[in-house]
Amino acid sequence: MLKIIIVPNPILNQKTEKVKKIDSEVLALIPQMIEACRNAQGIGLAAPQVGRSIRLCIINLEHLGVAPFALINPKITKKSWRKEEMEEGCLSLPGIYGIVRRPKTIKVKALNPEGQESEIEADGLLSRVIQHEVDHLDGILITSKFIRITDGRETKKRKEENL
Ligand code: ZN
């Protein structure tokens, strides 16, 4: 099982490098990241959180009926003018929660493990988690975006009620 890196660790503050080739190493990493994320009851995980400074993340919204998937070299191409405030936590920041303001909907372009490029439009929790993970790939942690610190109640409730 991959170990999830927690703060403080400089890799979490570094901008990652683009995946140049989707080789067997990258392909092997994806299911391992999904497993580590699932095990930690997370909804997303970025490669630097498992010690790899590459532009790769996985999204795990299984509880919403979405199969876990990987985004390789993701790029947010459009952000809605409308913003939304939501409590966020992070597997690399155990016990720390806060409100983050982000665009409500986004468009993101990325490669899938087969190397095909697609662009998806995301709203709600999917939009939120993708933006959080893409921030990780740019070396940005939520602590720098908190508009206020919270107690994690909203996140716990979301998990309990499977929202
Ligand atoms: Zn995180």
Side-chain angles (χ1 to χ4, degrees), residues 3 88 102 122 130:
K3 198 170 168 276
E88 290 185 31
R102 297 188 188 272
I130 291 173

Side-chain angles (χ1 to χ4, degrees), residues 6-7 18 20 33 51 56 59 80 99 118 133-134 138 144-145 149 159 162:
I6 59 166
V7 288
K18 259 193 172 174
K20 287 181 197 82
M33 284 175 63
L56 161 71
I59 307 295
S80 65
I99 304 293
S118 63
E133 301 313 328
V134 171
D138 292 325
S144 68
K145 294 196 161 180
I149 306 283
K159 267 183 197 164
N162 266 349

Side-chain angles (χ1 to χ4, degrees), residues 116-131:
Q116 296 150 338
E117 190 181 60
S118 63
E119 191 174 35
I120 60 164
E121 195 168 354
D123 195 357
L125 194 56
L126 180 61
S127 166
R128 181 62 49 164
V129 65
I130 291 173
Q131 293 181 70

